[in-house]
Amino acid sequence: MYRFMLALALAAACQAHDPALEHKVDTLATQIAAMQHDVAALRAAVEHPAAPNELDAKVADLQRKLDTVARGMPRPRHPEPDPDRVYAVAVDGYASEGPADAKVTMVLAFDYADPYTEKTRDGRVEMRKKYGNDLRIVYRNFVVHPQVAKAPALGGCAANKQHKFTAFDAIAWTKGFDEESYDVDSSPECWETDAGCPIVLAFAKQAGITDLARFKRDMKACDAELEVDVHQMQQLGIHATPSFFINGRYIVGALPTETFEALVDAELAKANERIRAGAKAATYYKDWVLAKGLTRLEP
């Protein structure tokens, strides 16, 4: 336990590169080392018990020390996008649902093995019906479970190149996630072999993809595209899925659909006001999000 606590403290210090925090970690390390001597003494007392009350007092004293150290533990810090700022998230070439000239664009960073991403599926379907051509959803891979999620992520990327992403995506969730059926990678990974990934290939067939030779080639090529996805999302401060940018504004997690709709409504009203004032509806995302948004986290 003590080694684990010390590892967490050291990880926080290394991530922050904060001299004051590093000094605090050194202090905690000293306290943890001292407690190890207390534990050794307590074990000896248990093996050769004295008065019961004395043993109880030693246990209580050690617990107080442990609680004190735990309260002082620095937590790893993950800088996140500011939900009140606008971020320029690229959308061209990525799988999407809805028209390119939609007034509101929702970018989703997702992982096919993430239960929280799966929980947002029904809500996204509802929103596409509710907002119609005013809402576009763009899909960006952010693979956090590579052993099971990378193969379907590459498959979705390859399916998009044959205009079959929506069908493939639905099958990947219902057959892959719901039934826990995945291509578990090996060495070399299945997308690097001539045979390809058998389960993902089965998804592709069910999605109506007929050129499976091209599909396998595209899966290999998509490997580099996934690296770009992850790098760009990390530059924006993304470290978890599902993460969303609604007209460049950040929101994270499997939140109630009403929470997403409130932000969509706000951005839709803003877009309508700007369009009435002369903004071009056809290039709204390009002009007001990509051109004006931040491309990375600011200090």
Side-chain angles (χ1 to χ4, degrees), residues 128-178:
R128 283 283 296 120
K129 291 179 180 178
K130 176 178 179 178
Y131 294 101
N133 288 338
D134 282 336
L135 177 65
R136 167 178 58 164
I137 302 177
V138 178
Y139 296 88
R140 298 285 304 266
N141 286 294
F142 189 75
V143 177
V144 295
H145 303 94
Q147 187 177 26
V148 292
K150 187 170 182 179
L154 293 171
C157 173
N160 184 51
K161 297 182 186 301
Q162 297 192 47
H163 309 289
K164 294 289 186 179
F165 172 80
T166 300
F168 178 93
D169 181 70
I171 293 167
W173 284 110
T174 57
K175 298 293 185 180
F177 181 86
D178 292 346

Side-chain angles (χ1 to χ4, degrees), residues 17-196:
H17 298 294
D18 184 339
L21 183 57
E22 290 176 1
H23 175 72
K24 187 174 184 180
V25 169
D26 289 340
T27 301
L28 287 169
T30 301
Q31 292 174 325
I32 290 170
M35 278 195 293
Q36 289 178 311
H37 294 291
D38 292 337
V39 170
L42 185 56
R43 283 177 177 163
V46 170
E47 292 173 0
H48 306 284
N53 291 341
E54 182 181 347
L55 186 58
D56 290 342
K58 288 182 179 181
V59 171
D61 181 59
L62 182 58
Q63 185 62 58
R64 281 194 297 271
K65 291 179 180 179
L66 181 61
D67 292 342
T68 299
V69 171
R71 286 195 297 270
M73 288 285 291
R75 299 293 185 262
R77 295 183 291 185
H78 297 288
E80 288 187 327
D82 184 341
D84 294 325
R85 306 292 295 274
V86 173
Y87 295 86
V89 187
V91 296
D92 287 348
Y94 292 99
S96 64
E97 296 174 327
D101 61 352
K103 296 172 184 175
V104 178
T105 294
M106 171 188 286
V107 179
L108 165 61
F110 75 105
D111 175 281
Y112 273 116
D114 173 33
Y116 299 101
T117 298
E118 195 276 337
K119 286 181 180 180
T120 68
R121 289 180 63 217
D122 290 344
R124 285 183 273 122
V125 171
E126 291 176 17
M127 285 188 285
R128 283 283 296 120
K129 291 179 180 178
K130 176 178 179 178
Y131 294 101
N133 288 338
D134 282 336
L135 177 65
R136 167 178 58 164
I137 302 177
V138 178
Y139 296 88
R140 298 285 304 266
N141 286 294
F142 189 75
V143 177
V144 295
H145 303 94
Q147 187 177 26
V148 292
K150 187 170 182 179
L154 293 171
C157 173
N160 184 51
K161 297 182 186 301
Q162 297 192 47
H163 309 289
K164 294 289 186 179
F165 172 80
T166 300
F168 178 93
D169 181 70
I171 293 167
W173 284 110
T174 57
K175 298 293 185 180
F177 181 86
D178 292 346
E179 298 181 10
E180 297 185 359
S181 178
Y182 300 102
D183 285 293
V184 178
D185 66 6
S186 56
S187 182
E189 291 84 356
C190 58
W191 53 87
E192 293 289 349
T193 67
D194 292 337

Side-chain angles (χ1 to χ4, degrees), residues 94 140 223-233:
Y94 292 99
R140 298 285 304 266
D223 199 0
E225 294 184 29
L226 257 64
E227 293 297 325
V228 172
D229 269 345
V230 171
H231 177 68
Q232 290 184 355
M233 291 296 106

Side-chain angles (χ1 to χ4, degrees), residues 5-17 21 25 74-77:
M5 292 173 62
L6 182 56
L8 285 178
L10 291 172
C14 292
Q15 184 179 21
H17 298 294
L21 183 57
V25 169
R75 299 293 185 262
R77 295 183 291 185

Side-chain angles (χ1 to χ4, degrees), residues 202-219:
F203 295 167
K205 291 177 183 178
Q206 293 176 60
I209 294 172
T210 56
D211 191 346
L212 294 178
R214 177 189 172 186
F215 181 83
K216 288 192 287 186
R217 292 195 303 270
D218 286 339
M219 280 189 69

